[in-house]
Amino acid sequence: MCGIVGYVGNRDACPILLKGLHRLEYRGYDSAGVAMVNGDGALNVYKCKGKVDDLEHFLDGKDLCGSIGIAHTRWATHGVPNDANAHPHYSESENIALIHNGIIENFRVLKDALIENGYTFRSSTDSEVLVNLIEYIRTTENCTLLEAVQQALKQVVGAYAIAVIEKGNHDEIIAARQSSPMVVGIGKGEYFLSSDATSIIEYTENFVYVNDGEVAVINRNAPLKVFTLDNEEERIHIQKLKLSISQLEKGGFPHFMLKEIYEQPHTLVDCIRGRINPETGEVKLSGVIDNREKFVNAKRIIFVACGTSWHASLIGEHLIENICRIPVEVEYASEFRYRNPIIRPDDIVIAVSQSGETADTLAAVELARKAGAFVYGICNVVGSSIARATDSGSYIHVGPEIGVASTKAFTGQVTVMAMLALAIGHEKGTVNKEYYQEISQALLKLPETLEDVLKIDAQVEDLAKIFTYAHNFIYLGRGYNYPTALEGALKLKEISYIHAEGYPAAEMKHGPIALIDAEMPVVSIATPDHTYEKSASNIEEVKSRGGKIIAVVAREDEQVRKRADYVIEVPVITDCLMPIVVSIPLQLLAYYIAVNKGRNVDQPRNLAKSVTVE
Ligand code: G6P
């Protein structure tokens, strides 16, 4: 939620800030702004409602001089999206400007105290309270900006990544973090600041991740320094990160989402590389090798996740229970963290998160660690907060996912979970050789299978035309494909704004069947597995009530296609990996319906890619 970016060096700050904002727009896009100190020391803030493109138009003709600046793209938490609530926020005297990602939970108490001291407010944000608190401390205590920030943050309860600059100071940005991501990129005589290293990857490979409770002093004339709120200097660790810029661009596709759907055959190659021996089919995950005893002796595995990652975790539950015979629970991280859950030292908690920054998942990780559980991460973003907060883990390695609707991360997560289940099952001796080989060989062939699945694109595009104006959708699946149905429905509602529900097919008769009529498209997943016959009967139940059946079936299917109104054919691989195959046409269906409706596919309304507020 919200993207922050900063620059101090010898170049013009504005183009770097705007490019960074474009790359961070996936984090929020309801308003945007920049603040820069120009050569005369003037502190200029420009901001407006809308996207970064709108900001660029707004900047026409303004004084954009300055080689130091901060910028922000917002996802509203306190205060509606409008010009006043956009960041950066000036302090009362307009001497300090601040950008903030996160939530100041005790903002009301702080604001009342500031009002008593004569402060007025131009916005309804919690962030403006913080900039005024910093200014209040700076003036009343006659201290440095760094000291004022440290003291102010000691009074703050909540989550933040902030950056502040000050009138008359061309050299220095003060930045701080608590529970919201922040990284400093180190160039030659210049520094970059961002919520996400990928937004500044074209300028440097050297990054310092700011940790919770730390304040960074980013001064163009000095080495980077990091302090605690008590002004203890911390050691900094420079990390290398390499990424190709092409991974951050659309590469000829009209939307990032379509590009990312099409990338899946390749991203799964990266996900599997070095983990499955192509000769022997043997699966090796370093996280399991290094922690063999923990996995072998685990009494229970608890997945914690949100959104699409939660759906992938439901598939992980099937995989691990089936292959490793370890009881598994899947929890919404937001519920888990507030439920006083029972966590034992012989539990393994697996946190699943594409971004590695989701606030609730991060909090669940911290809770599990405090309770003494071994915590494993399945993340995409290297060096992200969850990746760093977990004891061990496996990256999914699918590259930056920019479209807000998650696609390649989902298939990467399920792929890692399948490898994890095989690796643990092998160590525990709970999986027989044939089934192990069947799954590992199918994993090795996944890239080629997905190339094959993608051939259905044009057919799904045609199907989407028929259903673009439906008001509701139901997605049904069973077994491994029940979570696929949930994920298919989520994709559609996220980007087309059509109401869609995913349901376990048999459960439909306990309620949702009342919704079925001739207007109701029902996407039924009925690929071959031990639930196939049951799924066929469930389709019958819908059909006899007039529902329109779009059946996802095997190419060689004979039975279900006779009852379906429309058929989406997919190649068949081992049952536990079918969610990866089936999710591709469901992603395409959601995509084309959203495009037909003229939706902003990559930046759907009200959503953000990385949810760093709870
Ligand atoms: C947001 C995104 C979803 C994502 C969820 C969890 O809601 O829009 O696409 O599934 O967060 O994100 P994570 O990064 O933890 O997987």
Side-chain angles (χ1 to χ4, degrees):
M1 309 260 123
C2 305
I4 67 171
V5 57
Y7 175 77
V8 56
N10 303 315
R11 311 188 220 187
D12 277 345
C14 194
I16 294 170
L17 297 175
L18 291 173
K19 198 163 197 182
L21 285 187
H22 275 297
R23 294 244 162 89
L24 290 175
E25 225 173 356
Y26 71 85
R27 302 180 63 85
Y29 32 80
D30 59 42
S31 52
V34 291
M36 283 163 299
V37 179
N38 73 12
D40 301 328
L43 173 59
N44 295 314
V45 171
Y46 307 114
K47 55 184 187 167
C48 64
K49 184 178 173 203
K51 296 186 188 294
V52 179
D53 280 343
D54 299 306
L55 175 68
E56 280 181 311
H57 291 135
F58 180 72
L59 291 178
D60 275 352
K62 305 276 192 310
D63 170 11
L64 303 179
C65 297
S67 52
I68 178 169
I70 54 177
H72 187 272
T73 177
R74 180 170 186 249
W75 187 87
T77 56
H78 288 70
V80 295
N82 61 20
D83 294 351
N85 290 336
H87 297 220
H89 290 285
Y90 268 134
S91 60
E92 176 96 357
S93 70
E94 302 194 352
N95 280 343
I96 302 174
L98 168 142
I99 51 175
H100 168 221
N101 166 29
I103 292 182
I104 310 295
E105 287 171 15
N106 60 337
F107 82 101
R108 181 132 329 268
V109 186
L110 298 172
K111 187 171 184 175
D112 289 347
L114 286 164
I115 290 170
E116 272 184 27
N117 284 300
Y119 276 80
T120 55
F121 290 84
R122 306 169 173 102
S123 78
S124 13
T125 65
D126 50 342
S127 315
E128 193 186 5
V129 175
L130 183 54
V131 71
N132 278 330
L133 179 60
I134 293 169
E135 174 167 291
Y136 176 72
I137 294 169
R138 175 120 164 84
T139 48
T140 54
E141 312 241 330
N142 197 19
C143 58
T144 64
L145 184 60
L146 168 65
E147 288 161 346
V149 168
Q150 287 167 318
Q151 287 187 41
L153 292 179
K154 281 189 185 175
Q155 298 182 38
V156 160
V157 178
Y160 53 78
I162 61 160
V164 291
I165 54 175
E166 196 175 29
K167 187 174 177 176
N169 187 342
H170 308 102
D171 298 324
E172 198 163 87
I173 302 174
I174 305 287
R177 161 197 162 127
Q178 178 66 47
S179 306
S180 291
M182 170 173 281
V183 62
V184 180
I186 302 180
K188 290 202 176 83
E190 57 185 355
Y191 293 101
F192 307 85
L193 175 76
S194 182
S195 307
D196 176 349
T198 55
S199 73
I200 47 177
I201 196 80
E202 65 210 85
Y203 309 111
T204 179
E205 287 173 13
N206 298 318
F207 293 95
V208 172
Y209 289 93
V210 180
N211 294 311
D212 281 349
E214 289 181 349
V215 185
V217 179
I218 307 166
N219 188 309
R220 89 171 82 217
N221 304 317
L224 177 70
K225 287 198 180 295
V226 173
F227 299 91
T228 63
L229 296 188
D230 289 323
N231 210 31
E232 305 282 332
E233 189 166 347
E234 299 273 53
R235 286 188 60 165
I236 59 169
H237 304 281
I238 299 178
Q239 299 192 22
K240 291 252 177 232
L241 193 66
K242 286 195 175 166
L243 209 69
S244 115
I245 297 299
S246 65
Q247 288 179 283
L248 306 173
E249 323 233 298
K250 286 190 200 146
F253 285 90
H255 297 99
F256 280 110
M257 183 176 174
L258 190 62
K259 176 187 175 226
E260 287 160 6
I261 292 173
Y262 265 86
E263 275 175 353
Q264 289 173 104
H266 307 287
T267 54
L268 295 191
V269 173
D270 294 338
C271 179
I272 290 167
R273 181 174 295 125
R275 291 165 162 176
I276 308 183
N277 182 328
E279 311 293 315
T280 62
E282 194 187 353
V283 178
K284 282 206 165 138
L285 280 185
S286 56
V288 176
I289 296 168
D290 297 345
N291 302 286
R292 185 184 177 280
E293 297 309 308
K294 298 256 182 224
F295 280 104
V296 168
N297 298 320
K299 292 277 177 301
R300 184 172 62 150
I301 288 180
I302 306 170
F303 280 98
V304 290
C306 305
T308 289
S309 300
W310 185 81
H311 293 156
S313 302
L314 291 176
I315 299 168
E317 174 183 27
H318 281 234
L319 282 160
I320 289 176
E321 290 204 338
N322 187 18
I323 296 170
C324 317
R325 308 309 294 155
I326 302 173
V328 178
E329 287 170 30
V330 182
E331 300 267 4
Y332 284 117
S334 52
E335 290 296 314
F336 180 78
R337 63 181 289 198
Y338 286 116
R339 217 195 46 233
N340 190 16
I342 297 166
I343 309 169
R344 303 189 199 95
D346 50 11
D347 285 334
I348 293 182
V349 172
I350 303 184
V352 185
S353 174
Q354 185 285 128
S355 61
E357 300 295 347
T358 302
D360 283 317
T361 311
L362 183 58
V365 165
E366 280 156 6
L367 181 73
R369 289 203 67 184
K370 274 197 197 117
F374 174 71
V375 185
Y376 200 80
I378 298 182
C379 296
N380 187 31
V381 178
V382 176
S384 55
S385 302
I386 294 171
R388 287 181 294 132
T390 43
D391 295 302
S392 180
S394 303
Y395 283 115
I396 62 171
H397 291 310
V398 299
E401 192 181 62
I402 314 244
V404 165
S406 184
T407 52
K408 62 178 179 172
F410 175 75
T411 49
Q413 288 164 343
V414 177
T415 303
V416 163
M417 288 169 190
M419 292 190 285
L420 185 65
L422 287 182
I424 305 171
H426 178 70
E427 295 300 332
K428 283 185 63 106
T430 48
V431 55
N432 69 42
K433 263 196 192 140
E434 291 70 36
Y435 194 42
Y436 182 99
Q437 278 300 327
E438 180 182 322
I439 300 170
S440 73
Q441 292 305 328
L443 282 165
L444 285 167
K445 284 206 197 97
L446 261 183
E448 148 193 348
T449 311
L450 294 200
E451 293 282 7
D452 188 15
V453 182
L454 281 165
K455 290 183 192 145
I456 204 160
D457 183 333
Q459 196 197 323
V460 176
E461 189 176 2
D462 285 345
L463 191 63
K465 287 181 195 140
I466 303 171
F467 291 102
T468 295
Y469 298 101
H471 294 296
N472 298 284
F473 260 83
I474 290 182
Y475 286 68
L476 301 178
R478 297 188 73 140
Y480 279 111
N481 276 320
Y482 156 50
T484 322
L486 296 181
E487 177 59 10
L490 179 66
K491 286 293 84 83
L492 185 70
K493 75 184 129 193
E494 279 180 317
I495 59 170
S496 73
Y497 319 147
I498 294 175
H499 169 246
E501 278 193 59
Y503 242 79
E507 188 63 20
M508 186 198 55
K509 60 175 100 42
H510 300 290
I513 201 162
L515 302 171
I516 306 285
D517 62 17
E519 303 294 306
M520 178 68 89
V522 179
V523 179
S524 296
I525 306 165
T527 50
D529 61 19
H530 66 288
T531 63
Y532 176 78
E533 293 296 337
K534 311 275 174 206
S535 300
S537 314
N538 299 139
I539 287 173
E540 206 62 52
E541 291 159 9
V542 174
K543 189 73 196 156
S544 52
R545 283 155 184 92
K548 287 268 170 300
I549 304 280
I550 304 162
V552 184
V553 297
R555 286 187 182 141
E556 43 287 339
D557 181 272
E558 287 178 2
Q559 192 183 336
V560 167
R561 70 170 65 240
K562 290 186 197 139
R563 304 300 294 148
D565 297 280
Y566 305 91
V567 165
I568 296 174
E569 292 179 342
V570 291
V572 173
I573 56 173
T574 187
D575 59 356
C576 66
L577 300 181
M578 281 309 284
I580 297 175
V581 171
V582 171
S583 62
I584 307 285
L586 302 190
Q587 293 166 354
L588 287 169
L589 183 65
Y591 171 77
Y592 284 117
I593 290 179
V595 169
N596 293 346
K597 290 178 90 76
R599 304 301 191 212
N600 187 336
V601 173
D602 286 333
Q603 295 175 345
R605 72 180 178 204
N606 303 340
L607 296 178
K609 180 123 195 96
S610 181
V611 181
T612 52
V613 294
E614 58 171 291

